[in-house]
Amino acid sequence: MTAASTPAADVQARIARLFVHPVKSCAGVELREARLMDTGFDLDRAWMVVDEAGRFVTQRELPRMALVVPRIRHTEVVLRAPGMLALHLGIDEVESPTRATVWNDEVPAWDMGGVAAQWFSDFLGRPGLRLVRFDPDTNRLASKKWTGEIDAPVEFADGFPVLVASTASLDELNGRLQAAGHAPVGMERFRPNLVLEGVEAQDEDRLAELRIACAEGEVVLRPVKPCPRCPIPNVDPATGETSPEVLDTLSTYRANPVVDGGITFGMNAVIVRGAGHTLRVGDAVAADWKF
């Protein structure tokens, strides 16, 4: 389908990029197509690194996690990191039941075993780390404060199934960074799942629903909450080093009263319709303004 074949709408856009992040807070995988599940894109945040107490760890405290790069194969996810042999995770393989905590949610999970634990502990320089897999029989829901009548299950994502951003919003940020004498940054720092092109900067904040024309039918996503930004966008994904320019620049124009003045970039979205369909780069997106 083309944009011209979508229903009349205030905004006509396209999918520019798609990302999946198999291990929470490690590097993402850019895809040409991604299958949408009830919980978001297939394998997105399906694994998570935890400490000795079972609590999640992220680039906030261990920025070197950005250097762990996954590749998705047919039956496995392969993790690579500088100076390390590849770690192979069977997509359907786990070792033993455990529990894990992500933010305020303690949920059942599956431990991935001693080899994975040692791999992460060695690379990140922190003893006692474990790698866990989300238990698909667990029903962890996004906050009903934001999702309203929709029950939106998630795996180990911070809070919502899909994160939407736009190329125009990144272009605006990079223009401001360069005007201040800083280098531009890539979209990878913001860890979105779906990136739109054909909209103006920050338009994703103002859209009621995204109606995406894919081969199997229509997918409908509803943006529900602006995404407040922690320090992770300050981490250079190529080096694992941190510098303050990105958040400092965003703070000059992206304080959002909807989330108590938090500095936002991108919109968290829930799935209204279309779980099971596959989204592809180039798919047409129609949307109306939210009032």
Side-chain angles (χ1 to χ4, degrees):
M1 291 187 180
T2 64
S5 68
T6 58
D10 295 331
V11 174
Q12 299 283 356
R14 302 185 77 80
I15 296 177
R17 304 176 77 180
L18 294 166
F19 293 92
V20 170
H21 304 81
V23 182
K24 183 179 181 68
S25 218
C26 294
V29 179
E30 186 164 7
L31 302 172
R32 297 295 299 174
E33 60 181 52
R35 189 176 184 213
L36 189 66
M37 314 298 283
D38 290 336
T39 55
F41 287 144
D42 191 22
L43 299 182
D44 192 60
R45 278 81 172 190
W47 290 269
M48 181 172 73
V49 182
V50 299
D51 62 16
E52 302 94 324
R55 183 166 184 81
F56 76 121
V57 296
T58 71
Q59 290 182 40
R60 297 169 183 86
E61 61 266 34
L62 296 173
R64 274 170 60 83
M65 292 182 75
L67 303 180
V68 177
V69 178
R71 290 292 179 265
I72 300 173
R73 308 299 186 207
H74 180 61
T75 60
E76 64 181 7
V77 172
V78 182
L79 303 181
R80 300 184 186 277
M84 303 291 291
L85 296 174
L87 177 64
H88 294 254
L89 305 175
I91 287 175
D92 295 323
E93 296 175 9
V94 294
E95 290 218 358
S96 57
T98 186
R99 295 189 70 82
T101 301
V102 52
W103 296 110
N104 294 323
D105 297 329
E106 183 182 335
V107 296
W110 291 93
D111 190 275
M112 295 301 296
V115 172
Q118 194 63 53
W119 194 92
F120 275 97
S121 295
D122 288 348
F123 179 67
L124 297 174
R126 182 165 166 179
L129 297 178
R130 309 290 300 186
L131 183 68
V132 299
R133 175 76 189 265
F134 190 82
D135 185 340
D137 292 330
T138 297
N139 192 31
R140 178 178 175 239
L141 294 179
S143 169
K144 296 287 283 185
K145 172 185 175 182
W146 298 97
T147 67
E149 79 282 6
I150 294 176
D151 286 339
V154 292
E155 295 200 350
F156 286 135
D158 276 354
F160 296 88
V162 179
L163 180 60
V164 179
S166 72
T167 56
S169 294
L170 182 66
D171 290 345
E172 179 184 29
L173 169 62
N174 280 331
R176 291 170 181 262
L177 284 168
Q178 291 175 295
H182 304 302
V185 298
M187 186 62 82
E188 292 81 1
R189 293 195 185 218
F190 296 95
R191 310 179 64 76
N193 299 113
L194 189 155
V195 181
L196 299 173
E197 63 182 0
V199 297
E200 299 297 323
Q202 322 309 332
D203 271 357
E204 58 268 33
D205 293 9
R206 300 181 279 269
L207 301 178
E209 287 185 343
L210 310 178
R211 304 191 300 277
I212 305 170
C214 66
E216 299 94 333
E218 187 178 63
V219 168
V220 178
L221 304 178
R222 181 181 299 169
V224 294
K225 183 187 179 186
C227 185
R229 289 298 169 169
C230 68
I232 288 179
N234 283 337
V235 179
D236 184 339
T239 65
E241 298 176 353
T242 301
S243 58
E245 293 85 10
V246 172
L247 282 187
D248 283 355
T249 301
L250 282 173
S251 69
T252 64
Y253 71 105
R254 289 297 296 159
N256 195 323
V258 175
V259 287
D260 300 323
I263 307 305
T264 66
F265 185 98
M267 285 291 291
N268 291 296
V270 298
I271 302 159
V272 177
R273 185 168 64 253
H277 294 351
T278 297
L279 299 183
R280 295 171 175 83
V281 171
D283 281 348
V285 182
D288 294 324
W289 300 120
K290 177 171 55 183
F291 294 103

